[in-house]
Amino acid sequence: MAAAALHNRFYIKRKSGEEMLDVTRNNLVTRFCGDVELPPMYRIRQKFDASHIGEEELPSVVRGELERMGDQVRPGMRIGITSGSRGVANVALITKCIADFLKEKGADPFVFPAMGSHGGATAEGQREIIESYGVTEEYVGCPILSSMETVEVGKRPDGKPVFVDKNAFEADGIVLCGRIKAHTAFRGPYESGLMKMAVIGMGKQHGAEQVHESGFHNMGKLMPQVARVIFDNTKILFGLGLIENAFDKTCKVRALLPDEIWEQEPELLKEAKGRMGRLLLDNLDVLVVDRIGKDISGDGMDPNIAGTFATKCASGGLNTKRVAVLDISDESHGNGVGFGMADVSTRRAYEKFDFEMSYPNALTCLVSQVVKVPMIFDSDLLCLKAGIKLCAGIEHRNAKVVYIHNTLKLGEIYISANLVPQAEAIEGVTVAGEERPMEFDGNGNLISI
């Protein structure tokens, strides 16, 4: 019998020792979870500040910010523009705007991936990621130089070396472009943003590993120290910081000179945290996340929302007994970081979980929990039933369940019927639909709520 078939079956020997009874895993799990009744669900809307910069007006807004940086650019300069691994709103358009501005000033721009160890820690993988976001040579109008080669630019206070991307170091200037937001694993005045783009992103795998080896408990202190070495020994011209609202839309663009990055990013971080979406309900039995992915969060699902922190250096978010993950986004390119923070998941997600794409990230940041494998079930239906069954001390039909598409899309979510009274009492929450059961196809996969 093929290895795959053996893997998917249990063999139970009868007492006589002469016969073998094979029982599929699906049947065994059904026997254990078959009596679990899923609660009916309601669609609700969560109200957040939806103000944002429309795509049609974004180029003029970006251009207005960049004009103040014009004195930093001279004709003939080769200038590298960073491009990260997150699914940043309008990233291709914003990158094109920067490239166009630099070309108008007579410079020769190029784009380079700045994403530490992501993309399987390979040049090809990192280029593939930014191109999947629309950051292609044809669209942005300049070359993409993807390499994992780094150079040492100095030493941090403890004597350890600091590395940056070789192409960026050899350029006449660097433009940092990145989204400013709360980090998923530590707290400090600088978390995810332009400072991290310089330290972790431009450091590639080698530089990122040098920083992470001290542990996330030191990151808030260490990152500015390393950044100081990079800012003093490379040619950072300016940065373009982006803030998004709770609906994953660009709501602020701010161009900053190097000294202004140091001065203003902490305040921009506070603003970004205030803009984040969140789950207004709490104390759940099961949080169901339709999909996770690196395009959604560095941890697949943002623990600032889901409460699924992999380190003790950050806290907050939801309080829930169990987490079910149904899928990994195609845009994550097999990177399943965050998969290990789920309690239960599906074979569909497991088959997308690429160890070669995921493990370099975990080995670089020294956090193994995020790439462990949860309990795997053959269908969404069994996954959800198992998630509820794993909650002690509850009546299954009365389980407190919340379903979200992902941690970036929280404006419209689904809640179990017994959470409706709680939801109705929360300002900013509206019950928008009638009670309805979860619906599954013939294979037990969720088709609607």
Side-chain angles (χ1 to χ4, degrees):
M1 181 176 287
L6 285 170
H7 177 71
N8 286 320
R9 292 179 181 274
F10 291 99
Y11 285 85
I12 302 173
K13 184 175 290 188
R14 294 188 187 277
K15 289 183 179 180
S16 66
E18 296 178 355
E19 293 180 286
M20 297 290 289
L21 174 67
D22 73 352
V23 182
T24 65
R25 176 179 291 126
N26 186 72
N27 286 338
L28 282 174
V29 172
T30 298
R31 175 148 54 94
F32 279 95
C33 299
D35 63 341
V36 175
E37 188 175 357
L38 300 180
M41 306 291 285
Y42 280 81
R43 178 166 54 92
I44 70 167
R45 294 193 180 99
Q46 299 192 123
K47 184 178 180 180
F48 303 109
D49 183 354
S51 59
H52 65 282
I53 304 169
E55 187 173 342
E56 67 286 348
E57 60 179 320
L58 189 58
S60 64
V61 172
V62 172
R63 179 57 182 259
E65 286 291 313
L66 294 178
E67 282 293 349
R68 194 167 64 88
M69 305 291 115
D71 291 344
Q72 305 300 305
V73 183
R74 298 186 305 276
M77 293 177 72
R78 289 188 68 251
I79 299 175
I81 308 167
T82 65
S83 187
S85 60
R86 304 291 187 262
V88 176
N90 304 301
V91 64
L93 176 59
I94 292 169
T95 305
K96 175 177 170 56
C97 290
I98 298 172
D100 289 346
F101 172 78
L102 296 176
K103 287 189 289 185
E104 289 173 14
K105 296 296 181 181
D108 181 18
F110 66 90
V111 172
F112 67 99
M115 57 183 76
S117 63
H118 301 172
T122 68
E124 297 78 11
Q126 295 201 345
R127 182 180 182 124
E128 182 182 350
I129 287 175
I130 66 172
E131 288 183 338
S132 72
Y133 296 143
V135 183
T136 64
E137 292 184 347
E138 294 76 18
Y139 181 73
V140 300
C142 68
I144 294 175
L145 303 183
S146 184
S147 169
M148 298 305 294
E149 191 173 358
T150 59
V151 296
E152 181 180 335
V153 297
K155 297 188 185 300
R156 63 199 209 196
D158 61 6
K160 293 186 177 181
V162 174
F163 299 93
V164 300
D165 180 282
K166 184 174 185 292
N167 288 318
F169 178 74
E170 293 177 347
D172 300 313
I174 301 166
V175 175
L176 302 173
C177 179
R179 178 175 57 195
I180 298 171
K181 66 181 291 291
H183 198 274
T184 60
F186 75 94
R187 294 288 179 257
Y190 307 95
E191 296 182 18
S192 288
L194 299 177
M195 197 76 78
K196 179 173 176 259
M197 181 66 79
V199 173
I200 305 297
M202 289 208 311
K204 314 300 283 193
Q205 193 280 331
H206 199 181
E209 184 175 52
Q210 286 287 331
V211 177
H212 283 104
E213 68 179 7
S214 296
F216 277 109
H217 62 286
N218 289 315
M219 190 69 76
K221 176 182 177 182
L222 183 59
M223 194 161 70
Q225 293 178 348
V226 177
R228 187 72 272 165
V229 177
I230 293 173
F231 274 62
D232 289 346
N233 294 282
T234 64
K235 302 162 188 173
I236 295 174
L237 301 179
F238 59 88
L240 192 70
L242 313 171
I243 294 179
E244 295 176 7
N245 66 16
F247 299 95
D248 191 26
K249 294 183 181 296
T250 308
C251 62
K252 175 171 278 192
V253 176
R254 181 62 59 83
L256 300 168
L257 294 168
D259 286 347
E260 293 174 334
I261 294 174
W262 287 86
E263 296 165 1
Q264 297 183 34
E265 185 168 319
E267 288 304 312
L268 292 171
L269 174 61
K270 291 178 183 177
E271 181 177 347
K273 288 182 176 181
R275 283 279 203 163
M276 281 184 65
R278 60 191 185 280
L279 290 170
L280 299 176
L281 296 96
D282 202 0
N283 296 310
L284 308 181
D285 295 317
V286 181
L287 172 66
V288 182
V289 184
D290 188 79
R291 63 195 60 202
I292 64 171
K294 271 290 183 180
D295 56 310
I296 297 164
S297 170
D299 279 23
M301 50 183 165
D302 192 338
N304 293 293
I305 294 164
T308 50
F309 289 96
T311 78
K312 296 180 180 179
C313 305
S315 61
L318 188 68
N319 180 19
T320 185
K321 293 177 182 175
R322 302 294 179 186
V323 176
V325 167
L326 302 185
D327 206 348
I328 297 174
S329 71
D330 293 338
E331 293 80 3
S332 198
H333 300 273
N335 192 323
V337 165
F339 199 41
M341 306 313 296
D343 297 285
V344 293
S345 189
T346 65
R347 189 168 301 280
R348 179 175 70 256
Y350 176 72
E351 289 174 351
K352 290 184 179 180
F353 182 30
D354 187 330
F355 299 157
E356 293 295 319
M357 293 294 287
S358 307
Y359 284 3
N361 207 177
L363 291 168
T364 297
C365 70
L366 310 184
V367 179
S368 63
Q369 179 67 28
V370 291
V371 291
K372 291 184 177 181
V373 177
M375 295 180 71
I376 301 298
F377 299 92
D378 287 338
S379 69
D380 296 346
L381 177 60
L382 287 177
C383 176
L384 297 179
K385 286 189 172 189
I388 292 174
K389 187 176 181 65
L390 287 167
C391 296
I394 68 168
E395 293 183 5
H396 297 155
R397 182 173 172 76
N398 291 323
K400 297 176 181 178
V401 179
V402 168
Y403 168 97
I404 64 174
H405 185 70
N406 61 53
T407 53
L408 283 178
K409 300 185 182 301
L410 300 173
E412 188 171 278
I413 65 175
Y414 292 83
I415 66 173
S416 53
N418 63 339
L419 284 172
V420 170
Q422 180 183 339
E424 290 176 333
I426 298 174
E427 183 177 358
V429 174
T430 303
V431 178
E434 300 295 326
E435 178 183 304
R436 57 182 300 172
M438 298 184 189
E439 295 182 4
F440 301 85
D441 63 20
N443 294 317
N445 292 321
L446 189 63
I447 54 176
S448 70
I449 295 181

